[in-house]
């Protein structure tokens, strides 16, 4: 692709929010008797059409120094002439998805059985898409304002006026090395929309372009004055990233507007996006060409509810139907979970649905507000949830690599958000190291570790360079984020950050051992041990827990330190408590969780990001807190948290997971999916425990709690199509039967439970023949009976 010319319009009318159509004719006779292969790339959103039918889109988000082209294959052509079209939408601004500041262009290469085909392009600016000052919000692109009367017929070549020769843009990405896209193509899954209300409306605000979302929102939907149009409201069932398709019949020139929202406010769609940190405009507009037609957006929108306003009477115009096509990388889950508790089953499924809605060319934080690739989503809960639901970590791998590519130039710190509107967070940089090692162990691949080692080394050097006598304390300029509601004052050591650093140092030692760097690994372990010593001396409270923060300068006595929830949780996962203090730590964590909303309805609410209170819990930190309690044997407490807190989400009418335990945030966020992966891991009882040499080791930690039976499928991350199937139940005569079958050999260590008998691969084993607490080689099946 680096030798393919980069083309653009010679004189577009504006530098932002411009749509350019490129077309070329391709002769089937010249192409030859075989498939036609296309390679396409550009830095702005494009859609490809073959004889008027859409065949592809791009680009997937990318780092400018590592562009990735799309590859398409068309079947053998007939002998006639065909039309290849590409519409490119140049945003001209930075977004969470694509980086601004680069000159727009399109590249396309066509190859047939006879070799490369010469493509003679022409281009034109599409006047159908009118200029608008309104972006969806400060993180995304633009409201669409499309006069469908001016759209060209893409079945024809060079229809209408305004065609010109494109110009060549010289080296817009320098000498960047191109490669094929490293993930699959996103799917377009149909989603039905149910009509839930309709009526007439009267305008009550300003001119049409004064403030489109305010004008939409302020319309009187039960007018006492003559109506200006009619409206229809739809529910797609759950939040997703949809391209709405609205089939209408209306007179030419009729204005049609669609507003989107995740939930209804006062029974209506509010076409604004909460917590955008900017103005927002969650709506689009079309002008009808006349007669029956389908209106569809060029880009997808995040929403559940769709409200269509037609500026005509219901006797003049009609809406036949509305639907959406969901943009997602995945269709049906490869994993499954069922148990005797229907509520837990519904919560697991809601997590899987949320994950599907947040997987496109990246694992994104929410399809509505940002679509940003945050490492705190991908490398933590996202990795574990993808493992059990889809058994595919390609999005995680890609996100980890891009965080390395977009590391901060001055110190090499791995990016916490990228590419586009990049952000650097202390905690996410450490999650990146931990996540890289976790990915490598789960998949058995060292490639990521080899490619990312320099970034890992520089990231850790950043923290070590800011380490004093009481731990690391990075200076202002890097976001010191751990959790909403958790904040540490200036001049204070963030204890939780230092505990994450201990984790990262230990994982870095494993990283270096895997690469054969034994001496470097020993140094990392020594650094981790030094940090543990500091934690023991400087962070412990009088009762033996861990403080939230301590002064960076000056001494503080244990009795002056206040125990911190986050620090104590991370201390449990770091095994920093002894036999006396561990039960105290577990009880402290349980007591804190029980005192917070929604467990305590009177507790403070996380109503907005600046709501700072120590008495808060979040679904995102449940990745750590509830995992720590599972590991401590607190199965029933954790199951009750799923029922209480995530059950509360269901009581609010949610069908995807809320971002926090408050309905004023996003209603679809993957970092809230701790119950989904934890139920598949901990309630089914099989916990991956891969090491540097074996990615198929598992711990069997059987903790049924109050659940009488469970079953599920866990997809393999190393063998495509393979899986582990588990089923267990309480027997009427007492005890528990546990059965596991696997498509590939695995090693298991049983860590708890009084086992009366077991069989491996169908052969009964007398108790004592094998060490139950040692590793058991399982080729096909394992059955156990727990007393």
């Amino acid at each position: 692709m680096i030798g393919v010319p980069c083309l653009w319009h010679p004189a577009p009318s504006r530098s932002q929010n411009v749509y350019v159509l490129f077309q070329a004719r391709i002769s089937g006779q010249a192409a030859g008797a075989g498939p036609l292969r296309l390679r396409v790339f550009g830095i702005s959103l494009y859609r490809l059409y073959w004889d008027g039918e859409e065949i592809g889109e791009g680009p997937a988000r990318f780092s400018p120094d590592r562009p990735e082209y799309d590859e398409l294959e068309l079947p053998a052509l007939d002998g006639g002439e065909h039309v290849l079209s590409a519409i490119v939408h140049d945003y001209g601004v930075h977004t969470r998805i694509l980086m601004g500041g680069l000159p727009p262009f399109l590249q396309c290469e066509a190859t047939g059985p006879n070799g490369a085909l010469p493509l003679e392009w022409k281009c034109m600016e599409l006047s159908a898409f009118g200029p608008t000052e309104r972006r969806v919000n400060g993180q995304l692109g633009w409201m669409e304002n499309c006069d469908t009367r001016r759209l060209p017929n893409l079945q024809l070549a060079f229809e209408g006026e305004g065609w010109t020769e494109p110009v060549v843009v010289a080296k817009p990405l320098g000498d960047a090395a191109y490669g094929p896209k490293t993930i699959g193509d996103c799917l377009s899954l149909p989603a039905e929309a149910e009509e839930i209300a309709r009526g007439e409306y009267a305008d009550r605000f300003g001119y049409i372009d004064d403030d489109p979302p305010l004008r939409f929102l302020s319309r009187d939907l039960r007018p006492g004055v003559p109506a200006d149009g009619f409206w229809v409201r739809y529910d797609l069932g759950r939040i997703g990233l949809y391209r709405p398709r609205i089939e209408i019949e209306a007179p030419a020139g009729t204005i049609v507007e669609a507003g989107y929202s995740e939930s209804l406010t006062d029974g209506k769609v509010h076409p604004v996006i909460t917590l955008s940190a900017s103005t927002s405009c969650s709506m689009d507009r079309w002008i009808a060409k006349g007669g029956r037609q389908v209106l569809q957006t060029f880009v997808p929108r995040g929403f559940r509810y769709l409200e269509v306003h037609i500026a005509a009477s219901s006797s003049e115009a009609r809406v036949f139907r509305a639907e959406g096509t969901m943009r997602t990388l995945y269709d049906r889950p490869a994993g499954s979970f069922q148990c005797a508790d229907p509520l837990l089953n519904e919560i697991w499924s809601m997590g899987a649905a949320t994950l599907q809605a947040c997987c496109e060319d990246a694992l994104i934080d929410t399809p509505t507000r940002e679509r940003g690739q945050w490492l705190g989503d991908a490398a933590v809960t996202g990795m574990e949830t993808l493992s059990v639901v889809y058994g595919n970590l390609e999005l995680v791998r890609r996100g980890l690599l891009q965080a390395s590519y977009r590391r901060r130039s001055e110190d090499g710190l791995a990016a916490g958000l990228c590419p586009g509107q990049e952000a650097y967070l202390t905690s996410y940089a450490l999650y990146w190291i931990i996540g890289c090692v976790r990915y490598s162990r789960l998949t058995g691949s060292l490639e990521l570790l080899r490619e990312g080692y320099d970034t890992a080394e520089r990231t850790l050097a950043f923290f070590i360079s800011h380490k004093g006598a009481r731990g690391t304390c990075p200076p202002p300029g890097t976001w010191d984020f751990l959790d909403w509601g958790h904040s540490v004052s200036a001049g204070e050591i963030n204890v939780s950050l230092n505990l994450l650093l201990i984790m990262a140092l230990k994982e870095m030692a494993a990283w270096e051992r895997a690469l054969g760097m034994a001496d470097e690994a020993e140094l990392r372990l020594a650094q981790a041990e030094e940090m543990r010593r500091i934690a023991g001396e400087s962070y412990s409270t009088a009762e033996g827990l861990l403080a939230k923060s301590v002064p960076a300068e000056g001494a503080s006595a244990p009795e002056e330190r206040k125990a911190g929830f986050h620090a104590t949780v991370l201390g449990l996962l770091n095994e920093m408590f002894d036999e006396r203090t561990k039960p105290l730590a577990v009880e402290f964590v349980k007591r804190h969780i029980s005192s917070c909303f929604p467990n305590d309805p009177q507790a403070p609410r996380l109503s907005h990001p600046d709501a700072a209170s120590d008495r808060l819990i979040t679904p995102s930190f449940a990745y750590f807190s509830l995992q720590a309690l599972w590991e401590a044997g607190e199965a029933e407490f954790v199951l009750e948290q799923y029922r209480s807190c995530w059950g509360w989400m269901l009581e609010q009418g949610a069908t995807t997971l809320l971002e926090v335990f408050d309905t004023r945030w996003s209603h679809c966020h993957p970092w809230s999916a701790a119950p989904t992966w934890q139920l598949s891991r901990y309630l089914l009882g099989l916990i991956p425990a891969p090491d540097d040499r074996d990615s198929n080791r598992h711990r069997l930690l059987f903790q049924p709690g109050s659940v009488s039976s469970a079953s599920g499928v866990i997809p393999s991350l190393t063998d495509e199509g393979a899986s582990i199937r588990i089923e267990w139940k309480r027997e009427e005569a007492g005890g528990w039967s546990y059965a596991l079958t696997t498509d590939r050999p695995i090693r298991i260590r049983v860590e708890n439970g009084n086992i009366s008998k077991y069989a491996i691969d169908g052969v009964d084993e007398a108790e004592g023949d094998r060490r139950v607490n040692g590793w058991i080689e399982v080729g096909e099946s394992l059955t156990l009976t727990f007393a």
Side-chain angles (χ1 to χ4, degrees):
M1 289 291 289
I2 199 167
V4 178
C6 300
L7 305 177
W8 192 239
H9 193 284
S13 65
R14 53 190 184 269
S15 60
Q16 294 180 337
N17 192 23
V18 62
Y19 294 77
V20 176
L21 169 63
F22 293 84
Q23 280 192 334
R25 293 190 182 100
I26 293 181
S27 165
Q29 185 174 2
L36 179 69
R37 294 179 174 84
L38 300 176
R39 287 182 174 179
V40 188
F41 179 69
I43 66 104
S44 303
L45 181 66
Y46 52 79
R47 294 195 177 278
L48 304 172
Y49 305 84
W50 183 255
D51 292 337
E53 294 293 322
E54 186 173 318
I55 59 171
E57 63 170 5
R61 67 191 74 196
F62 64 95
S63 176
D65 56 341
R66 287 171 174 81
E68 295 181 0
Y69 53 80
D70 289 284
E71 296 181 291
L72 300 91
E73 183 172 305
L74 298 171
L77 309 184
D78 58 32
E81 187 175 79
H82 300 271
V83 182
L84 175 62
S85 304
I87 297 177
V88 184
H89 180 197
D90 177 39
Y91 287 3
V93 293
H94 289 282
T95 69
R96 286 284 199 259
I97 304 167
L98 296 173
M99 299 177 66
L102 299 170
F105 64 89
L106 175 75
Q107 290 175 282
C108 184
E109 177 183 67
T111 305
N114 299 331
L117 299 177
L119 297 177
E120 296 182 5
W121 293 98
K122 290 186 178 180
C123 67
M124 67 179 297
E125 181 177 343
L126 289 179
S127 62
F129 292 93
T132 175
E133 298 299 319
R134 297 305 299 268
R135 288 174 62 178
V136 174
N137 63 8
Q139 292 79 43
L140 297 171
W142 300 87
M143 167 190 171
E144 292 183 21
N145 184 17
C146 181
D147 186 341
T148 63
R149 296 171 298 183
R150 298 182 178 182
L151 287 173
N153 182 354
L154 298 183
Q155 293 178 312
L156 305 176
F158 316 130
E159 181 194 30
E161 300 177 351
W163 292 95
T164 185
E165 299 290 331
V167 295
V168 175
V169 182
K171 284 195 165 184
L173 296 181
D175 294 321
Y178 283 73
K181 187 169 63 177
T182 54
I183 54 171
D185 295 330
C186 285
L187 307 173
S188 295
L189 303 181
E192 294 185 2
E194 177 189 1
E195 181 181 323
I196 57 175
R198 68 165 54 218
E200 295 183 322
Y201 73 80
D203 287 318
R204 291 194 293 198
F205 175 80
Y207 298 103
I208 188 170
D209 288 321
D210 279 357
D211 191 334
L214 180 57
R215 192 168 191 265
F216 186 102
L217 181 59
S218 65
R219 284 176 178 143
D220 186 351
L221 301 189
R222 292 180 174 86
V225 297
D228 292 305
F230 70 99
W231 58 270
V232 188
R233 187 179 301 132
Y234 298 92
D235 181 1
L236 275 76
R238 61 185 175 95
I239 297 166
L241 189 59
Y242 301 107
R243 290 178 72 192
R245 297 183 76 255
I246 306 162
E247 187 174 356
I248 68 163
E249 186 174 55
T254 300
I255 296 174
V256 181
E257 293 181 331
Y260 319 109
S261 64
E262 292 188 339
S263 60
L264 298 179
T265 304
D266 300 327
K268 299 167 58 177
V269 166
H270 281 209
V272 293
I273 302 172
T274 60
L275 300 178
S276 286
S278 66
T279 58
S280 63
C281 181
S282 190
M283 60 175 289
D284 294 299
R285 179 189 298 149
W286 299 268
I287 298 177
K289 67 180 180 181
R292 191 160 179 163
Q293 69 179 113
V294 173
L295 306 175
Q296 185 172 28
T297 56
F298 191 74
V299 299
R301 305 299 191 199
F303 65 95
R304 171 179 172 177
Y305 294 97
L306 164 68
E307 193 169 291
V308 183
H309 292 193
I310 302 96
S313 70
S314 56
S315 61
E316 297 176 298
R318 179 181 176 187
V319 179
F320 293 98
R321 62 178 300 186
E323 62 184 3
T325 53
M326 177 187 281
R327 174 181 164 89
T328 178
L329 194 64
Y330 301 113
D331 188 357
R332 298 182 182 278
S336 65
F337 172 84
Q338 289 286 321
C339 75
D341 186 333
L343 179 56
L344 296 179
N345 297 338
E346 192 170 1
I347 291 169
W348 188 96
S349 296
M350 190 159 64
T354 303
L355 187 69
Q356 183 187 40
C358 295
C359 286
E360 46 166 333
D361 61 330
L363 197 159
I364 58 175
D365 65 334
T366 162
T368 304
R369 186 183 64 235
E370 296 189 47
R371 294 172 64 189
Q373 181 175 240
W374 292 86
L375 257 292
D377 303 327
V380 187
T381 300
M383 186 178 326
E384 301 302 330
T385 312
L386 276 170
S387 297
V388 301
V389 176
Y390 291 110
N392 185 317
L393 296 182
E394 61 182 337
L395 286 182
V396 172
R397 178 186 181 279
R398 194 166 186 269
L400 292 169
L401 282 173
Q402 289 185 344
S404 177
Y405 301 154
R406 304 307 302 165
R407 66 192 184 193
R408 195 158 62 182
S409 58
E410 59 264 34
D411 52 27
L413 194 72
L417 165 66
C418 72
Q421 297 185 342
E422 291 161 358
Y424 298 87
L425 295 77
T426 54
S427 56
Y428 284 22
L430 297 174
Y431 292 160
W432 178 80
I433 291 174
I434 297 167
C436 285
V437 177
R438 180 67 169 166
Y439 171 87
S440 176
R441 285 174 167 168
L442 287 171
T443 62
S445 172
L446 296 179
E447 181 184 355
L448 176 64
L449 301 187
R450 294 190 183 100
E451 187 166 353
Y453 180 75
D454 184 57
T455 300
E457 192 174 39
R458 295 183 65 185
T459 293
L460 279 178
F462 167 82
F463 290 97
I464 298 300
S465 70
H466 295 292
K467 175 180 166 294
R470 291 184 179 83
T472 190
C473 187
T478 301
W479 189 6
D480 193 17
F481 174 81
L482 182 79
D483 191 13
W484 295 117
H486 179 278
S487 60
V488 173
S489 301
E492 293 276 309
I493 295 286
N494 186 340
V495 170
S496 294
L497 180 66
N498 280 268
L499 297 176
L500 286 176
L501 178 57
I502 294 173
M503 290 181 176
L505 286 167
K506 291 190 293 186
E507 293 304 295
M508 190 64 179
W511 188 325
E512 288 167 331
R513 282 197 307 270
L515 298 183
M517 304 167 68
D519 292 342
E520 289 84 350
E522 287 301 316
L523 173 62
R524 300 299 177 190
L525 292 176
Q527 290 173 327
E529 190 56 37
E530 167 66 8
M531 291 296 302
R532 288 179 69 92
R533 181 194 63 77
I534 291 173
E537 294 178 358
S538 302
Y539 305 158
S540 293
T541 65
E543 61 269 36
L545 304 180
L546 289 168
K548 176 182 178 180
S549 62
V550 297
E553 302 291 340
S556 67
E559 55 269 17
E560 297 173 347
R561 302 168 190 155
K562 181 181 177 181
F565 166 65
H566 299 84
T568 301
V569 165
L570 295 174
L572 283 168
L573 292 174
N574 263 314
E575 299 180 337
M576 299 189 69
F577 300 106
D578 58 24
E579 292 182 359
R580 181 188 70 84
T581 56
K582 182 176 179 180
L584 298 176
V586 170
E587 287 305 312
F588 171 78
V589 169
K590 291 167 58 179
R591 191 165 59 249
H592 175 88
I593 291 173
S594 299
S595 73
C596 297
F597 186 87
N599 291 305
D600 182 351
Q602 304 306 315
R605 297 279 290 264
L606 186 56
S607 56
H608 55 85
D610 293 330
S613 171
D614 286 336
R615 196 178 162 194
L616 292 169
I617 53 173
T618 63
S620 59
F621 197 74
Y623 171 91
F624 298 105
S625 61
L626 299 187
Q627 180 184 10
L629 293 177
W630 272 114
E631 291 290 339
E634 296 288 342
E636 188 53 32
F637 181 88
V638 176
L639 294 174
E640 280 304 311
Q641 287 308 296
Y642 299 158
R643 296 174 181 123
S644 173
C645 299
W646 281 261
W648 173 85
M649 294 186 188
L650 286 166
E651 291 170 0
Q652 311 313 303
T655 53
T656 50
L657 297 173
L658 274 60
E659 185 172 7
V660 302
F661 296 122
D662 191 281
T663 56
R664 288 165 284 191
W665 296 56
S666 174
H667 287 214
C668 185
H669 206 297
W671 74 0
S672 298
T676 297
W677 75 265
Q678 289 173 3
L679 286 168
S680 284
R681 298 295 196 200
Y682 283 99
L683 195 58
L684 292 183
L686 196 67
I687 319 299
D691 64 7
D692 303 340
R693 298 172 298 280
D694 186 354
S695 61
N696 280 291
R697 297 196 323 170
H698 298 78
R699 304 156 53 215
L700 203 164
L701 186 63
F702 183 58
Q703 300 182 87
S706 59
V707 179
S708 60
S709 64
S711 63
V713 174
I714 302 172
S716 171
L717 295 173
T718 54
D719 289 346
E720 187 175 355
S723 63
I724 300 171
R725 295 163 294 282
I726 295 169
E727 182 174 3
W728 58 258
K729 63 181 179 179
R730 184 193 296 271
E731 298 293 343
E732 292 184 5
W736 305 83
S737 62
Y738 188 101
L740 175 153
T741 58
T742 177
D743 295 331
R744 62 157 298 162
I746 59 176
R747 299 172 70 208
I748 294 176
R749 184 177 67 207
V750 182
E751 294 198 346
N752 70 332
N754 183 10
I755 298 174
S756 58
K757 62 180 180 179
Y758 66 100
I760 303 171
D761 299 336
V763 178
D764 289 337
E765 296 285 338
E767 187 175 3
D769 285 354
R770 299 192 187 192
R771 293 188 309 122
V772 172
N773 289 324
W775 294 102
I776 301 173
E777 303 285 344
V778 178
E780 296 178 353
S781 66
L782 172 68
T783 59
L784 300 167
T785 301
F786 290 95

